[in-house]
């Protein structure tokens, strides 16, 4: 309940007029002594990606190069926040456009039915926007290249509020709403202006972290100072989110046992699977209108090519989110035996390990929780190195979908590991 209440406060704050004073013109970027004048109010997300490439020294063009190409002057990396200017929320405020009104641009966003938008593409754009706003918060000397790397650590929550009109531009707006020593929270709002008025599609929160490319350690970022009581409240919610994440980490089922109520729940579900004709724990039967969790696994494997790399020659986090979402959607459609499903929530996407070019990326999705017509999907991503014979987890993704069919079966765990997945899915569903 705390999370949902805080989420509403953030959403209302972002929708409020406290940012009305902000200069919404795009800041010019210096490139080799000349100024690239961005379109005021109409910088597209694609143009923002190009400006970011220039900002970090164009390392995308240099496979295997370190951050910042040879001969390019870099800004010094600060040792403490005292060396950096203090920022306000308005300093990082940005507005970018996803130009769906342009027929050519729209093509890569259309879903297979040609009647809706690929939400995976929106996830990619949200990731780019968060990096863009973060650099506006941290960038100090515009005559030099950025010295630090900024990457996504966590997608805290994305709550979808409305469907997307396929031929109307999406306005992305947002800013850094909380900053620690080396991390920043970026809150982003997506809207469309229709004849009936402006509608909000979603509000998203991304946790970004700064890294020193030379030492591979955390880099300090500019401190954030709220300018009025409303911004104080927003900043405080960022602090509370940090504390909440710390508490959730302590309760992680990989580290500690389930609560008493959770233990009672899984025992009750286990008893539902016992055959009443046999007085034994070994004989399990599937209850009516249920599906064994083990039968809902859907996997795919991706070879990580250079075209999907980010600014630092790792695989782009937005690409990983898109692939995970599309796999989760496909699993949901198969579970419901219908394409008539819609996304409700993206929750707690953790980026645990960067994915290198040339890696094999195995994604495994599974239905882990159901309630009425809502379905919780967990996607586990692991990096496989065939040369070393090693495997390691890169990401865990959590998606909530709704099936628009009269009735769907209930998911039923069978093993202890599946019961833990069930409880974890229930926690994410109820958060």
């Amino acid at each position: 309940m705390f999370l949902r209440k805080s989420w509403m406060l953030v959403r209302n704050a972002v929708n409020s007029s406290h940012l009305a004073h902000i200069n919404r013109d795009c800041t010019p970027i210096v490139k080799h002594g000349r100024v690239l004048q961005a379109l005021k109010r109409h910088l597209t997300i694609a143009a923002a990606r190009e400006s970011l490439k220039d900002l970090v020294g164009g390392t995308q063009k240099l496979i295997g190069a370190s951050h910042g190409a040879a001969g390019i002057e870099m800004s010094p990396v600060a040792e403490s926040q005292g060396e950096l200017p203090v920022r306000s929320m308005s300093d990082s405020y940005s507005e970018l456009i996803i130009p769906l009104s342009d027929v050519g641009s729209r093509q890569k966003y259309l879903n297979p039915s040609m009647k809706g938008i690929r939400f995976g593409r929106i996830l990619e754009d949200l990731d780019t926007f968060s990096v863009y706003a973060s650099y506006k918060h941290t960038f100090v000397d515009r005559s030099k290249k950025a010295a630090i790397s900024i990457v996504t650590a966590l997608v805290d929550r994305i709550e979808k509020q409305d469907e997307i009109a396929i031929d109307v531009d999406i306005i992305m707006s947002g800013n850094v709403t909380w900053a620690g020593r080396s991390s920043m929270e970026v809150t982003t709002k997506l809207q469309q202006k229709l004849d009936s008025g402006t509608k909000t599609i979603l509000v998203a929160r991304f946790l970004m972290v700064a890294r020193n490319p030379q030492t591979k350690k955390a880099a300090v970022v500019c401190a954030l100072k709220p300018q009025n009581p409303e911004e104080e409240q927003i900043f405080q919610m960022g602090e509370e989110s940090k504390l909440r994440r710390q508490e959730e980490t302590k309760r992680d089922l990989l580290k500690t046992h389930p609560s008493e109520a959770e233990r009672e729940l899984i025992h009750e579900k286990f008893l539902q699977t016992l055959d009443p004709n046999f007085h034994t724990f070994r004989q399990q039967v599937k209850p009516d209108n249920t599906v064994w969790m083990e039968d809902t696994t859907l996997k795919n494997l991706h070879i990580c090519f250079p075209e999907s790399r980010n600014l630092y020659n790792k695989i782009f986090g937005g690409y990983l989110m898109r692939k995970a979402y599309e796999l989760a959607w496909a699993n949901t459609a198969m579970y419901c035996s219908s394409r008539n499903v819609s996304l409700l929530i993206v929750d707690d996407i953790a980026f645990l390990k960067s994915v290198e070019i040339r890696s094999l990326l195995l994604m495994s999705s599974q239905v882990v929780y159901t309630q009425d017509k809502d379905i919780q999907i967990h996607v586990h991503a692991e990096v496989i190195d065939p040369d070393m014979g090693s495997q390691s987890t890169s990401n865990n993704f959590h998606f909530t979908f709704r099936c628009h069919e009269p009735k769907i079966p209930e998911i039923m765990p069978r093993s202890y590991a599946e019961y833990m997945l069930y409880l974890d899915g229930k926690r994410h569903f109820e958060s």
Side-chain angles (χ1 to χ4, degrees):
M1 289 300 294
F2 161 75
L3 179 57
R4 292 192 179 276
K5 181 179 180 182
S6 297
W7 184 251
M8 291 295 293
L9 287 170
V10 170
R11 187 177 68 189
N12 293 338
V14 173
N15 287 336
S16 72
S17 60
H18 85 286
L19 292 174
H21 67 284
I22 292 171
N23 175 14
R24 299 187 178 185
D25 291 351
C26 297
T27 304
I29 299 170
V30 175
K31 180 179 183 182
H32 306 307
R34 64 186 176 86
V35 176
L36 298 179
Q37 182 64 52
L39 291 173
K40 295 182 177 181
R41 295 178 165 276
H42 298 290
L43 185 69
T44 66
I45 189 69
R49 286 194 182 100
E50 291 303 313
S51 71
L52 284 170
K53 291 178 188 178
D54 179 65
L55 190 66
V56 301
T59 57
Q60 267 217 342
K61 302 173 185 176
L62 304 168
I63 299 301
S66 60
H67 182 74
I72 295 179
E73 190 176 6
M74 310 292 291
S75 299
V77 179
E79 297 293 331
S80 67
Q81 285 188 317
E83 302 173 36
L84 299 171
V86 176
R87 299 298 196 194
S88 66
M89 292 186 186
S90 62
D91 288 329
S92 61
Y93 182 83
S94 306
E95 279 191 6
L96 301 177
I97 300 296
I98 302 175
L100 296 182
S101 61
D102 176 71
V103 176
S105 299
R106 190 190 310 154
Q107 294 307 306
K108 78 169 189 176
Y109 287 90
L110 288 176
N111 67 17
S113 72
M114 307 289 285
K115 298 178 182 179
I117 295 300
R118 295 172 62 183
F119 192 76
R121 292 290 188 192
I122 302 300
L123 290 174
E124 289 183 325
D125 292 343
L126 285 168
D127 195 41
T128 296
F129 184 95
S130 299
V131 174
Y132 185 82
S134 297
Y135 268 120
K136 287 186 71 172
H137 177 84
T138 59
F139 204 38
V140 177
D141 188 347
R142 295 187 180 276
S143 66
K144 300 177 183 178
K145 302 301 178 183
I148 61 174
S149 303
I150 295 176
V151 295
T152 307
L154 177 74
V155 179
D156 200 354
R157 193 173 180 87
I158 302 172
E159 195 161 351
K160 197 157 175 263
Q161 302 173 29
D162 210 333
E163 295 302 316
I164 302 173
I166 65 172
D167 57 354
V168 178
D169 291 346
I170 297 176
I171 303 169
M172 310 180 76
S173 62
N175 54 279
V176 174
T177 49
W178 174 87
R181 187 178 184 276
S182 61
S183 58
M184 298 158 284
E185 181 185 84
V186 177
T187 303
T188 307
K189 176 177 61 176
L190 266 57
Q191 291 183 309
Q192 288 182 309
K193 293 183 178 179
L194 308 176
D195 292 339
S196 58
T198 300
K199 72 172 182 178
T200 298
I201 300 166
L202 61 80
V203 178
R205 286 188 300 179
F206 280 57
L207 185 68
M208 317 300 291
V209 294
R211 292 286 181 264
N212 184 328
Q214 304 304 320
T215 65
K216 309 301 182 184
K217 296 181 180 179
V220 295
V221 299
C222 300
L224 180 64
K225 183 178 181 181
Q227 302 297 307
N228 54 51
E230 192 166 12
E231 290 187 358
E232 287 277 5
Q233 186 181 25
I234 295 171
F235 187 88
Q236 183 58 37
M237 283 190 289
E239 289 283 353
E240 292 169 354
S241 294
K242 175 185 175 181
L243 295 175
R244 172 182 53 78
R245 288 192 294 269
Q246 292 173 346
E247 287 301 314
E248 288 177 349
T249 299
K250 295 177 183 178
R251 296 175 57 239
D252 192 328
L253 290 169
L254 289 172
K255 298 178 180 178
T256 187
H257 56 73
S259 68
E260 182 62 32
E262 289 174 333
R263 290 197 292 269
E264 290 179 3
L265 173 63
I266 62 177
H267 186 68
E268 178 184 332
K269 292 193 73 66
F270 172 72
L271 292 178
Q272 292 175 20
T273 68
L274 297 184
D275 191 333
N277 297 319
F278 294 87
H279 194 67
T280 177
F281 293 124
R282 299 183 179 218
Q283 192 74 23
Q284 284 186 288
V285 293
K286 185 172 67 68
D288 293 340
N289 196 36
T290 65
V291 175
W292 291 123
M293 187 182 291
E294 62 187 19
D295 294 331
T296 67
T297 301
L298 186 64
K299 300 182 180 183
N300 59 22
L301 186 138
H302 307 277
I303 303 173
C304 297
F305 292 104
E307 66 183 55
S308 302
R309 67 191 184 274
N310 63 13
L311 300 169
Y312 322 111
N313 284 318
K314 309 293 184 182
I315 297 301
F316 175 42
Y319 170 85
L320 301 176
M321 287 192 286
R322 174 165 65 87
K323 289 300 184 181
Y325 166 78
E326 290 171 353
L327 179 63
W329 183 93
N331 200 340
T332 304
M334 292 177 66
Y335 187 82
C336 298
S337 300
S338 170
R339 294 175 183 266
N340 192 18
V341 299
S342 58
L343 177 72
L344 298 180
I345 295 170
V346 180
D347 183 45
D348 196 21
I349 296 177
F351 290 80
L352 306 174
K353 177 185 175 66
S354 60
V355 179
E356 303 288 341
I357 298 169
R358 298 176 65 243
S359 297
L360 301 182
L361 182 69
L362 177 64
M363 288 189 167
S364 306
S365 69
Q366 202 164 22
V367 178
V368 294
Y369 183 75
T370 54
Q371 182 173 300
D372 299 326
K373 296 184 179 183
D374 295 340
I375 300 170
Q376 190 72 28
I377 302 284
H378 172 250
V379 180
H380 176 259
E382 57 186 281
V383 177
I384 301 172
D385 185 337
D387 298 322
M388 301 295 293
S390 62
Q391 294 179 238
S392 57
T393 298
S394 63
N395 302 84
N396 282 295
F397 304 86
H398 304 274
F399 302 97
T400 307
F401 290 89
R402 176 161 292 167
C403 180
H404 302 286
E405 295 298 326
K407 194 173 184 181
I408 64 170
E410 180 184 352
I411 198 69
M412 184 60 66
R414 201 170 191 172
S415 67
Y416 187 80
E418 289 177 349
Y419 278 110
M420 294 303 100
L421 283 170
Y422 180 87
L423 292 179
D424 188 57
K426 184 174 185 291
R427 288 181 180 185
H428 284 284
F429 180 83
E430 295 175 346
S431 66

